[in-house]
Amino acid sequence: MKYHRPRGTQDIVPPNVYTWRYVEGVFDSTFLRFGYQPLRTPIFESTDLFLRSVGEATDIVSKEMYTFLDRGGRSLTLRPENTAAVIRAYLDGGMHRVAGISRLSYIGPMFRYDRPQAGRYRQFHQVGVEAIGNLSAMLDIEVIEVVMTALSELGFEGLNVKLNSVGCPVCREDYTTVLGEALEKHMERLCDDCKVRARINPLRVFDCKRDSEVKKELPSISDHLCDECSSHFAIVRSLLRAVGRSFELDPQLVRGLDYYTKTTFEILHGSLGAQNALCGGGRYDNLVEQCGGPSTPAVGFSAGLERIISVLPAGVDQERSLIPRIDFYVACADEDSAERALKAANVLRTFGNVEVDASMRTLKTQLKHAEKTRARVTVIVGADSPHRLRWKDMDERSQVEVEDDGLRSFADEHSKHGNEGMA
Ligand code: HAM
């Protein structure tokens, strides 16, 4: 083999692709049920968008972006996440001028130059929603309910929702001072990266995968919330209890992106190992303004499809029944019959899925292959019968001859009956 897929990427091949489509479909229909409209944004954006929104001191921006200059000398970046892009599109498209809440959903590939391992890829896929335009804690609950509803439809049970509040710039100012002082005391024990983080953006020390012992001894943001953030967090907790959603407080859950304010959450799965977050999200009340729009609060989540699919509960992965069945297999016995076979296939496509055997192998081999595909009907076209096709019902093991010209009405009559059991 001369070429391989780039490190950290995956080919999603049949039949696995049907599992993907199924999972994407469950999210898609859940998004619609909650009133979220699908949005598609470009795969690359101007680099500056991510520097400003995700934050220069984050691992995503400082280590993981695929950034390049285009031929016009513009710095562009393959999107490492989609929230910033959704907000850019929201403003670009003038959605902020429409009163009320914009509920947007998305699905698509994201790119991060991270060290590949189980559950961590360089190209991965996220589904997510963003609810833009209101401060109400009801929306924080709504986005958690969106993802939990989809996951529960996929068969997940007993998932762990981790919850925290990272406050707002007002409470963060005091907290950053307190945290900075605490970090000073532990400077010796910090890794080299965290020594830098402690100076530039101390909150990012909590993203460190190594300094877990030091982190336990640091003050928590949730103990330093201002009155407004504290009251919002209390309402979120009480509404979550009211809707029967269990959660666990995690004072260290600051999330690896700078735009968050107030609520942050993650949904973890026990058997995922180190990369155990199926989903992450939270409120980001200042991002729209930071991107040049009016002050507009927002909240959302994104979930990683690779991780969800890797731990789909047993029995929910209905791959086999998800694979669309071939309804008609057209066997072409000889080259002289090619034209008739193609015409027959075109007629049959009105009634179902058609696979044409273009191999010119012996008829016996073609019929064997038709069995393998689990085709419902095999239509045999051959020069030995120049105006008639053989219609072989593979389930009933019966065969009749049909005039080429009569194929449409015959198929019409017989497909209605045959389609009843089809997926
Ligand atoms: P995030 O936590 O960076 O948040 O990513 C969300 C999810 O994407 C993770 O929980 C994980 O399932 C998946 N994910 C992230 N990185 C990788 C990777 N390298 N390989 C495989 N899966 C990965 C965000 O991206 C925010 N935009 C979420 C958000 C939306 N906040 C508000 N709205």
Side-chain angles (χ1 to χ4, degrees):
M1 267 291 290
K2 204 167 164 190
Y3 300 109
H4 294 284
R5 60 180 187 268
R7 200 164 129 72
T9 66
Q10 280 186 307
D11 296 313
I12 305 162
V13 295
N16 303 352
V17 75
Y18 293 110
T19 308
W20 275 75
R21 281 193 184 181
Y22 169 66
V23 172
E24 288 164 3
V26 167
F27 273 100
D28 216 32
S29 60
T30 309
F31 293 162
L32 286 175
R33 262 191 285 157
F34 278 79
Y36 286 76
Q37 301 298 317
L39 168 74
R40 297 182 189 188
T41 60
I43 273 169
F44 56 85
E45 296 276 349
S46 101
T47 302
D48 202 42
L49 174 68
F50 301 114
L51 295 188
R52 280 165 184 273
S53 57
V54 176
E56 292 190 53
T58 60
D59 280 358
I60 294 178
V61 167
S62 64
K63 299 180 186 168
E64 297 172 6
M65 295 213 302
Y66 281 90
T67 297
F68 57 97
L69 290 182
D70 74 2
R71 284 166 193 271
R74 301 169 196 90
S75 180
L76 299 171
T77 292
L78 297 184
R79 59 183 186 193
E81 63 102 50
N82 211 26
T83 305
V86 169
I87 296 305
R88 199 266 314 128
Y90 167 84
L91 291 170
D92 246 355
M95 289 182 236
H96 59 292
R97 286 193 281 272
V98 180
I101 299 164
S102 293
R103 287 181 167 86
L104 300 167
S105 68
Y106 51 84
I107 187 161
M110 310 291 153
F111 306 85
R112 295 184 192 175
Y113 189 83
D114 208 339
R115 199 155 45 83
Q117 52 180 274
R120 197 199 276 167
Y121 302 95
R122 289 183 175 169
Q123 175 173 335
F124 59 97
H125 298 77
Q126 283 185 344
V127 285
V129 302
E130 313 295 343
I132 310 161
N134 203 285
L135 266 174
S136 166
M138 282 171 74
L139 287 183
D140 304 36
I141 309 307
E142 180 175 289
V143 297
I144 295 175
E145 286 306 292
V146 173
V147 62
M148 291 306 280
T149 303
L151 290 172
S152 133
E153 192 152 319
L154 289 170
F156 287 96
E157 284 171 6
L159 287 176
N160 198 358
V161 181
K162 293 229 171 194
L163 188 73
N164 194 23
S165 172
V166 293
C168 65
V170 174
C171 29
R172 200 100 46 88
E173 205 177 313
D174 288 346
Y175 172 66
T176 308
T177 313
V178 177
L179 179 61
E181 285 163 9
L183 284 169
E184 258 327 301
K185 289 187 202 139
H186 296 289
M187 208 48 96
E188 296 294 286
R189 294 164 63 205
L190 295 179
C191 69
D192 288 346
D193 275 353
C194 279
K195 283 184 180 132
V196 178
R197 288 176 176 129
R199 277 203 320 276
I200 307 178
N201 188 344
L203 200 63
R204 299 275 63 98
V205 167
F206 289 103
D207 301 337
C208 181
K209 280 134 199 147
R210 281 167 290 186
D211 294 343
S212 51
E213 284 309 308
V214 183
K215 284 194 277 181
K216 282 184 203 151
E217 296 168 36
L218 296 174
S220 301
I221 176 80
S222 47
D223 293 331
H224 291 81
L225 298 180
C226 66
D227 288 348
E228 191 198 320
C229 290
S230 180
S231 129
H232 184 89
F233 195 30
I235 298 171
V236 167
R237 294 191 312 258
S238 122
L239 286 178
L240 273 177
R241 284 191 200 100
V243 297
R245 185 63 64 200
S246 60
F247 60 88
E248 196 183 305
L249 295 177
D250 178 355
Q252 296 199 349
L253 184 70
V254 299
R255 314 258 309 120
L257 305 101
D258 273 354
Y259 50 63
Y260 288 111
T261 53
K262 299 195 171 102
T263 315
T264 50
F265 65 91
E266 281 187 355
I267 294 163
L268 308 183
H269 191 280
S271 54
L272 270 172
Q275 309 302 319
N276 61 356
L278 290 181
C279 156
R283 187 163 267 290
Y284 49 95
D285 291 339
N286 301 326
L287 185 57
V288 178
E289 200 171 0
Q290 254 174 300
C291 292
S295 168
T296 312
V299 57
F301 82 83
S302 317
L305 285 177
E306 282 77 4
R307 293 188 193 172
I308 290 172
I309 288 165
S310 73
V311 291
L312 269 188
V316 176
D317 185 353
Q318 310 158 3
E319 238 164 59
R320 239 192 125 61
S321 62
L322 294 171
I323 302 171
R325 187 173 177 183
I326 298 289
D327 302 311
F328 303 103
Y329 194 91
V330 177
C332 179
D334 45 73
E335 285 190 20
D336 290 344
S337 305
E339 192 181 317
R340 288 173 61 214
L342 289 175
K343 281 184 179 164
N346 275 349
V347 169
L348 292 170
R349 282 195 185 99
T350 319
F351 305 100
N353 301 334
V354 180
E355 183 172 327
V356 177
D357 194 322
S359 68
M360 298 296 158
R361 294 172 292 187
T362 63
L363 197 53
K364 199 172 156 200
T365 315
Q366 292 191 40
L367 291 179
K368 259 197 197 158
H369 194 74
E371 291 275 1
K372 260 199 206 158
T373 63
R374 294 163 55 240
R376 199 168 54 77
V377 172
T378 300
V379 172
I380 303 159
V381 192
D384 59 339
S385 172
H387 305 293
R388 285 170 163 251
L389 314 156
R390 276 180 279 159
W391 174 285
K392 197 167 159 35
D393 189 312
M394 307 293 275
D395 294 335
E396 290 178 14
R397 310 246 144 224
S398 60
Q399 186 171 303
V400 287
E401 293 208 341
V402 182
E403 294 279 338
D404 282 31
D405 291 346
L407 181 61
R408 184 175 297 280
S409 56
F410 188 86
D412 190 21
E413 200 177 310
H414 289 79
S415 299
K416 274 177 203 139
H417 156 74
N419 272 335
E420 275 166 19
M422 281 169 30

